[in-house]
């Protein structure tokens, strides 16, 4: 009979996710992980596998949570234009109110690991495509309601908005002038006209 785990797997995975998000994959040591997660190496290996498998589990947890959050944020408005405007403005506001800019865990992974690791290239691309589908569904809702023009290419527009979101998220790590970002968002949102 196997031993029952003496820790909450979701809680320790969340701790690992936060640490990887703060430091990145390469800069996070196993000692950092055991300290933050509050469990020993054998427990990490038993529950999650090696460091790379733990990172993958943390990234998957993040992407599922992020996608759910994005969907909720966009559905909370009857106006599609208002939904996207509020969404992009909140992305920026959240970064300016934090003491340090961690950015998006998935985008950080895209920059750090995807160029060198096919698995993370695929995982980060899948997340981009999933968010693009959420954006596309929102745009199609705007087309159906008559808020957006009937000839709008919802798929292409959603992909353009995802690329804009990724670029905006990356540039926010350098804390640009607020007017620079505000002007950028204004132009991004004109894609919805």
């Amino acid at each position: 009979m196997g031993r029952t785990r003496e820790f909450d797997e979701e809680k320790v995975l969340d701790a690992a996710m936060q640490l990887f998000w703060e430091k990145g994959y390469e800069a996070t040591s196993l000692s950092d992980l055991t300290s933050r997660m509050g469990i020993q190496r054998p427990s990490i290996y038993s529950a999650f596998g090696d460091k790379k498998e733990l990172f993958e589990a943390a990234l998957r947890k993040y992407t599922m949570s992020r996608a759910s959050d994005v969907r909720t944020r966009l559905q909370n408005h009857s106006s599609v234009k208002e939904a996207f405007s509020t969404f992009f403005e909140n992305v920026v506001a959240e970064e300016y109110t934090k003491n340090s800019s961690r950015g998006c865990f998935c985008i950080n992974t895209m920059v750090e690991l995807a160029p060198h690791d096919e698995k993370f290239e695929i995982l980060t691309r899948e997340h981009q495509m999933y968010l693009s589908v959420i954006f596309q569904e929102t745009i199609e809702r705007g087309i159906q309601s008559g808020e957006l023009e009937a000839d709008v290419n919802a798929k292409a527009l959603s992909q353009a908005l995802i690329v804009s979101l990724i670029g905006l998220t990356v540039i926010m790590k350098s804390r640009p002038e607020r007017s620079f970002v505000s002007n950028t968002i204004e132009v991004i949102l004109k894609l919805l006209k």
Side-chain angles (χ1 to χ4, degrees):
M1 185 160 139
R3 288 181 63 196
T4 58
R5 294 210 168 105
E6 297 175 6
F7 58 88
D8 180 334
E9 200 168 305
E10 284 300 310
K11 185 176 178 181
V12 298
L13 181 57
D14 189 62
M17 181 186 74
Q18 296 299 327
L19 182 61
F20 281 130
W21 193 354
E22 290 166 20
K23 296 182 78 170
Y25 177 76
E26 292 296 336
T28 302
S29 69
L30 279 171
S31 296
D32 294 335
L33 288 164
T34 58
S35 176
R36 179 70 67 93
M37 295 168 76
I39 60 175
Q40 298 305 311
R41 288 182 189 199
S43 295
I44 291 174
Y45 295 135
S46 173
F48 303 104
D50 64 14
K51 177 182 165 185
K52 189 174 182 181
E53 290 170 311
L54 174 60
F55 186 87
E56 180 182 344
L59 180 62
R60 287 183 186 279
K61 178 179 176 67
Y62 173 85
T63 58
M64 294 297 291
S65 173
R66 180 68 177 147
S68 176
D69 179 59
V70 169
R71 183 179 296 281
T72 299
R73 287 181 186 215
L74 291 176
Q75 288 177 342
N76 279 342
H77 298 274
S78 57
S79 163
V80 167
K81 290 178 183 178
E82 182 182 315
F84 279 111
S85 176
T86 301
F87 175 79
F88 276 93
E89 288 168 8
N90 285 342
V91 166
V92 171
E94 288 165 6
E95 288 302 314
Y96 279 120
T97 58
K98 296 176 185 172
N99 290 335
S100 64
S101 180
R102 295 187 300 175
C104 168
F105 183 29
C106 187
I107 293 171
N108 295 347
T109 302
M110 186 184 351
V111 172
E112 181 184 13
L113 297 178
H116 321 293
D117 190 306
E118 185 178 9
K119 176 180 270 189
F120 292 105
E121 174 190 336
I122 292 167
L123 287 173
T124 57
R125 188 173 53 238
E126 284 174 352
H127 183 62
Q128 295 163 40
M129 293 302 100
Y130 189 68
L131 290 181
S132 180
V133 167
I134 294 170
F135 278 25
Q136 183 175 339
E137 290 170 353
T138 305
I139 293 163
E140 287 169 350
R141 181 168 47 97
I143 293 168
Q144 290 170 355
S145 72
E147 184 180 3
L148 300 177
E149 297 292 323
D151 64 348
V152 167
N153 183 333
K155 183 175 184 176
L157 179 54
S158 69
Q159 291 169 346
L161 290 173
I162 289 297
V163 170
S164 299
L165 174 63
I166 291 169
L168 184 63
T169 303
V170 171
I171 203 165
M172 289 305 299
K173 292 175 81 69
S174 68
R175 304 266 185 183
E177 291 291 324
R178 192 70 184 245
S179 61
F180 181 92
V181 177
S182 296
N183 291 338
T184 301
I185 292 174
E186 185 179 325
V187 172
I188 290 169
L189 295 174
K190 284 185 179 178
L191 295 171
L192 295 166
K193 303 269 182 206

